Amino acid sequence: MIIYKTEEEIELMRQAAQVVSRALGEVAKVIGPGVTGLQLDKLAEEYIRDQGAIPGFLGLYDFPNTLCISPNEQVVHGFPSTVPYQEGDIVSVDCGAILNGYYGDHAYTFEIGEVAPEIKELLKVTKECLNKGIEAARAGNRIGDIGWAIQNHAEKHGYGVVRELVGHGIGKTMHEDPQVANYGKRGRGKKIQNGLTIAIEPMINMGTEKINHLSDGWSIITGDKKPSAHFEHDVAVWNGEPIVLSTFDYIEEALAKR
């Protein structure tokens, strides 16, 4: 069942999403060669708690960390580790927070130093996929229109679109209805209405769409071990239009100053 939100609830969700956005901005200030995922995890947890919020991932489904950190061929759900990042890596950092009883959930894939041109292009196209998915999240459209917009743009560039992992509704719980796949057909699925709040999160692979689950029960990698990119925003539909509740501004400002 989809839980539609009021304008007041959407504002509370925006505040939660902005905590996550600022936490990722703090990550952006320090991430780079020689930094480890556990260092970022500690930084993010401290920042979220300093904002009067609660880390949204820590303990959720028994996940042991504040951040999901997934480098290179890892798609999502990776554990922060003590392995330092190296020049040329890419690292998806996914973060959640609870504020005012509502969840924020937001992700960005960072370049570590100079990355190869083909990887830079993968990140660019994946971010474009996110924007095209958001543009399709309009009242009167259907959930399948979001997935179609993402899939069409990714596959036009020869990339694989992960099928088994999807975006989702979000609110007082992290995962609500509806599921928001990154592939689909126009005109299919639930009709989009005002008050819908969803996390749109394209997971786009440089090669195959296939994925494999690692033995730790969480980490997911591409089937051919080629890189994968992941960007995510929280989006509400109001007055018929998509409203992005999270922002990349803090990340991009921090990266521009480095």
Side-chain angles (χ1 to χ4, degrees):
M1 181 182 73
I2 297 174
I3 302 171
Y4 296 99
K5 313 301 190 299
T6 66
E7 192 170 13
E8 291 74 20
E9 288 177 305
I10 289 170
E11 172 56 24
L12 293 175
M13 291 186 64
R14 187 192 69 80
Q15 293 173 23
Q18 290 287 313
V19 169
V20 180
S21 297
R22 294 196 301 272
L24 288 176
E26 294 299 305
V27 167
K29 292 177 182 178
V30 301
I31 193 169
V35 175
T36 72
L38 281 175
Q39 288 174 316
L40 300 177
D41 193 68
K42 183 174 184 292
L43 180 156
E45 179 176 357
E46 290 175 353
Y47 182 84
I48 289 168
R49 293 192 188 280
D50 285 347
Q51 303 303 299
I54 301 168
F57 293 171
L58 185 60
L60 183 69
Y61 311 126
D62 294 324
F63 189 76
N65 296 100
T66 293
L67 300 176
C68 291
I69 299 186
S70 308
N72 300 320
E73 74 274 12
Q74 287 197 13
V75 182
V76 285
H77 301 165
F79 293 119
S81 77
T82 58
V83 178
Y85 302 127
Q86 298 181 13
E87 187 89 10
D89 286 342
I90 57 170
V91 183
S92 163
V93 182
D94 195 353
C95 182
I98 308 166
L99 183 70
N100 306 315
Y102 289 90
Y103 276 86
D105 180 19
H106 185 21
Y108 192 92
T109 300
F110 292 90
E111 301 175 18
I112 306 300
E114 287 297 319
V115 304
E118 62 270 22
I119 294 178
K120 195 178 283 284
E121 179 69 10
L122 171 67
L123 300 188
K124 174 178 171 287
V125 171
T126 304
K127 196 182 287 186
E128 291 170 353
C129 286
L130 173 59
N131 291 332
K132 288 181 179 296
I134 292 168
E135 179 65 21
R138 297 177 174 277
N141 282 357
R142 301 214 173 239
I143 294 296
D145 294 326
I146 299 172
W148 182 88
I150 293 168
Q151 178 185 9
N152 182 61
H153 191 65
E155 291 182 347
K156 197 162 60 177
H157 289 81
Y159 298 137
V161 180
V162 175
R163 261 62 169 176
E164 292 92 330
L165 305 162
V166 298
H168 51 89
I170 188 168
K172 288 188 174 180
T173 57
M174 173 66 78
H175 297 112
E176 296 183 352
D177 289 333
Q179 291 192 344
V180 184
N182 295 309
Y183 65 97
K185 294 184 178 179
R186 282 174 160 171
R188 298 287 181 89
K190 291 280 189 181
K191 185 175 282 191
I192 297 171
Q193 301 178 37
N194 284 329
L196 180 72
T197 51
I198 53 177
I200 300 177
E201 50 178 323
M203 289 157 269
I204 307 299
N205 299 343
M206 183 172 282
T208 180
E209 68 193 38
K210 304 296 183 186
I211 58 172
N212 292 319
H213 296 255
L214 297 187
S215 59
D216 63 20
W218 282 95
S219 302
I220 293 166
I221 65 170
T222 57
D224 54 10
K225 297 190 177 178
K226 291 182 179 179
S228 180
H230 174 219
F231 292 91
E232 178 180 19
H233 271 316
D234 294 339
V235 179
V237 179
W238 198 254
N239 291 329
E241 302 287 328
I243 300 169
V244 182
L245 305 179
S246 46
T247 180
F248 291 148
D249 287 353
Y250 301 108
I251 295 169
E252 291 168 354
E253 287 169 10
L255 294 176
K257 291 177 180 176
R258 297 185 59 181

